Amino acid sequence: DAGVIQSPRHEVTEMGQEVTLRCKPISGHNSLFWYRQTMMRGLELLIYFNNNVPIDDSGMPEDRFSAKMPNASFSTLKIQPSEPRDSAVYFCASRDPSGGAEDKNIQYFGAGTRLSVL
Amino acid sequence: RKEVEQDPGPFNVPEGATVAFNCTYSNSASQSFFWYRQDCRKEPKLLMSVYSSGNEDGRFTAQLNRASQYISLLIRDSKLSDSATYLCVVNIPKWGSARQLTFGSGTQLTVLP
C-alpha cells in the first residue's frame, strides 16, 4: 500500500498567489482530513470529509481557504490569495473505517506539504 | 482549558532509562485514545492505541484512566531511536461525530548516548 500521497512536498510562492495542495487517500478509507502544523499552534484540523462530503470546516481560517473532494481518491486544499502567515506544513490524513471499536478512529498521515509564502 | 494537555517537556534522558509521559483530556465522551510519534520534519505516525484495559507493545506501555481522564505512555530501556516528539491524541466528539481527533502539543524526547 502506497499510503497517503501528498503533492507537492514543498511549495514556495509569493504573497497573493494561489496555492493548491493535493492529496490521495489510502484506497478504501472513507474519511479524509486536512491539518495545518506550525510551531506556535501545533497540529490543527482544518476540514474533514466523510464519503467525499465536507462534514466540519470550522477549522478553516477564513474564506481564502477552500477544500474539495470530487471523488474518493482525490482532494485539494486551495489558498487564494496566499499570505505569509499561511506558511506551515499542511498534512492530509485518511481514516480506516474498519477495525475494532477502540481502533476505528486511527488516522494515517501523508508526508505533508511544506508551504512558504514570501 | 485545552482539550488535550501534555507534559511540556523537553525530556532528555540517557540510553536505557525509563521515561513516562502524561496527558489529560477534557471531554468525558471521548472514546478513542492514541499515542502518535513525530520525527523531526516528518509526519505523525501511530505508535499505539490506548485501550481501556491498558496495553503493552514491547518496551512501550500505555494506560488509560477514564475516571481521571488521564493517559500515560511508559518507555522502558529507551534507545537513541526513540528520540522524537510524542503526541497524545484523543477523539473529541463534535457535531455528533466521533471521527475527529484532537492532538496534544507534543512532548519532545531526546535520548542521549
Side-chain angles (χ1 to χ4, degrees), chain B residues 37-45 81-86:
Chain B
R37 168 192 170 132
Q38 187 172 23
D39 292 290
C40 187
R41 302 179 74 84
K42 299 286 189 180
E43 72 274 22
K45 291 184 178 178
S81 57
D82 294 334
S83 297
T85 296
Y86 290 83

Side-chain angles (χ1 to χ4, degrees), chain B residues 47-48 55-62 74-77 79:
Chain B
L47 176 66
M48 59 195 303
N55 48 302
E56 188 174 305
D57 183 3
R59 298 181 293 108
F60 299 85
T61 300
L74 184 76
I75 306 175
R76 291 181 300 277
D77 188 24
K79 312 290 185 190

Side-chain angles (χ1 to χ4, degrees), chain B:
Chain B
R1 181 185 174 188
K2 288 184 179 178
E3 292 178 310
V4 179
E5 292 201 67
Q6 293 187 241
D7 284 349
F11 285 64
N12 298 315
V13 303
E15 256 185 303
T18 296
V19 60
F21 303 142
N22 303 316
C23 170
T24 57
Y25 60 96
S26 62
N27 193 320
S28 60
S30 297
Q31 301 166 342
S32 303
F33 310 90
F34 309 100
W35 284 101
Y36 275 66
R37 168 192 170 132
Q38 187 172 23
D39 292 290
C40 187
R41 302 179 74 84
K42 299 286 189 180
E43 72 274 22
K45 291 184 178 178
L46 178 69
L47 176 66
M48 59 195 303
S49 301
V50 186
Y51 300 133
S52 299
S53 55
N55 48 302
E56 188 174 305
D57 183 3
R59 298 181 293 108
F60 299 85
T61 300
Q63 292 194 316
L64 168 65
N65 184 322
R66 285 188 185 272
S68 301
Q69 295 179 204
Y70 172 95
I71 306 160
S72 65
L73 176 68
L74 184 76
I75 306 175
R76 291 181 300 277
D77 188 24
S78 51
K79 312 290 185 190
L80 296 176
S81 57
D82 294 334
S83 297
T85 296
Y86 290 83
L87 303 167
C88 176
V89 184
V90 177
N91 84 304
I92 307 289
K94 289 180 181 177
W95 310 111
S97 167
R99 298 185 186 92
Q100 292 174 255
L101 298 180
T102 298
F103 288 73
S105 56
T107 301
Q108 186 176 347
L109 171 67
T110 302
V111 181
L112 304 169

Side-chain angles (χ1 to χ4, degrees), chain A residues 8 12 14 21 32 38 47 49 51 53-54 59 71 84 102 106 110 116:
Chain A
V12 180
E14 292 186 347
L21 311 181
L32 183 141
T38 61
I47 185 172
F49 295 84
N51 294 323
V53 176
N71 58 62
E102 289 171 310
I106 292 174
S116 296

